[in-house]
Amino acid sequence: MKSYFYIILLMIMSTSLLAQSNFKAQQLTFERVKQAYGEKWNSLQKELKKDQITGKFSLYIAAYKAERKLEIWLKENNQKQYKLFKVYPFCQHSGVLGPKLKEGDLQIPEGFYYITAFNPLSNFHLSLGINYPNSIDLLRSANEKPGSDIYIHGKCETVGCIPITDDKIKEVYVLATEARNGGQNQIPVHIYPFKITDTNLNKYLAQFPQHKAFWINLQQGYNYFEKYRRVPQVIELTNAYQFK
């Protein structure tokens, strides 16, 4: 019985590893992804080598709405700390500071998410979808429809997503594909209203006092990464995030 169990376990592990290593190959069957690799991968590899990233790596994405910046952080899988690799500007923006509350409000969400979709056939060239709404978003939306389909994508138009142009999404999509293919099953995407320093918090709370409790909660996750350069484990409680 034990040997049978181990055989089954090995089969499951082998299938998982095969699917993992085939992710890039599957993505490359799509013309836009193939084109993105052809245009961007050689130069990205040179930049990775310059940053002493030569093996498989993990990816962390941080977005800041007030600054309109998308930060790409990387670390080799045998390292503990992330290093800033690239920063891309939002090429368009919708809504104001504060979380997304309902469908159609044009708001970019705020909170702690991860990539759930690679879309090589996007209407916005290439796109990476996140798991909005999470449980805290659903609670905040109450009886309203929270909306969905939040992506980092190409082109330069938005009603609540993060567009960075076709040219730049090629780079981000390739890096996300490499991270996923290298074993990172959950790529974190943390979206902040702004860089949540105490100075910025006080500045923006003067204009948006209704978000005080929420932004102070987000600041805990922001501070953890700033201090340790590691992505915290995020736990969604009833109405707030907890970090480990």
Side-chain angles (χ1 to χ4, degrees):
M1 179 62 78
K2 280 187 177 181
S3 60
Y4 178 76
F5 171 78
Y6 287 128
I7 290 171
I8 295 296
L9 181 61
L10 285 171
M11 289 175 64
I12 293 171
M13 291 174 64
S14 297
T15 301
S16 175
L17 289 170
L18 183 63
Q20 194 176 83
S21 63
N22 282 343
F23 182 77
K24 178 178 176 179
Q26 185 269 335
Q27 284 290 313
L28 284 169
T29 63
F30 295 95
E31 185 59 33
R32 292 178 196 172
V33 180
K34 184 178 178 181
Q35 181 187 43
Y37 266 88
E39 292 180 15
K40 301 296 184 180
W41 186 221
N42 282 342
S43 60
L44 284 171
Q45 284 180 300
K46 290 177 183 177
E47 292 179 78
L48 288 166
K49 186 176 181 180
K50 186 177 178 181
D51 276 11
Q52 299 181 320
I53 299 174
T54 57
K56 294 179 181 179
F57 58 80
S58 295
L59 165 65
Y60 163 61
I61 299 175
Y64 300 95
K65 291 167 56 173
E67 292 84 355
R68 300 190 181 188
K69 300 293 184 183
L70 187 80
E71 294 182 346
I72 302 298
W73 294 78
L74 302 176
K75 73 173 183 70
E76 282 199 313
N77 289 349
N78 62 349
Q79 297 175 338
K80 292 184 177 181
Q81 292 186 314
Y82 280 87
K83 296 189 294 184
L84 183 62
F85 182 63
K86 279 183 175 275
V87 181
Y88 301 101
F90 296 11
C91 75
Q92 191 55 267
H93 187 272
S94 67
V96 297
L97 297 186
K100 185 172 181 62
L101 299 177
K102 62 182 179 179
E103 187 175 61
D105 64 5
L106 305 183
Q107 288 291 95
I108 298 172
E110 294 173 9
F112 300 93
Y113 306 98
Y114 53 87
I115 292 173
T116 54
F118 286 71
N119 187 357
L121 299 174
S122 172
N123 291 330
F124 300 89
H125 194 63
L126 296 167
S127 61
L128 299 166
I130 65 171
N131 65 317
Y132 174 89
N134 61 28
S135 62
I136 291 176
D137 296 316
L138 290 171
L139 182 66
R140 184 183 298 110
S141 296
N143 296 323
E144 299 277 2
K145 290 183 178 179
S148 59
D149 297 330
I150 301 298
Y151 288 84
I152 301 166
H153 61 65
K155 290 195 175 180
C156 200
E157 54 189 78
T158 183
V159 289
C161 295
I162 299 175
I164 58 172
T165 74
D166 290 359
D167 183 63
K168 301 308 180 187
I169 192 60
K170 290 174 185 176
E171 294 189 359
V172 177
Y173 199 96
V174 166
L175 290 169
T177 299
E178 288 294 320
R180 174 67 177 81
N181 198 68
Q184 188 181 15
N185 293 320
Q186 193 172 97
I187 298 172
V189 178
H190 295 175
I191 306 177
Y192 294 103
F194 44 84
K195 288 184 176 289
I196 314 183
T197 61
D198 289 339
T199 300
N200 280 345
L201 185 62
N202 291 331
K203 171 186 172 182
Y204 288 111
L205 280 177
Q207 187 177 355
F208 300 97
Q210 68 272 30
H211 301 316
K212 181 176 182 179
F214 178 58
W215 286 350
I216 287 175
N217 185 215
L218 295 185
Q219 189 185 41
Q220 295 174 40
Y222 173 85
N223 285 342
Y224 185 99
F225 184 80
E226 288 298 301
K227 181 176 180 179
Y228 298 108
R229 289 293 186 256
R230 297 198 299 267
V231 178
Q233 180 184 347
V234 181
I235 301 169
E236 295 171 19
L237 301 178
T238 303
N239 58 358
Y241 296 102
Q242 187 180 76
F243 309 95
K244 290 186 178 181

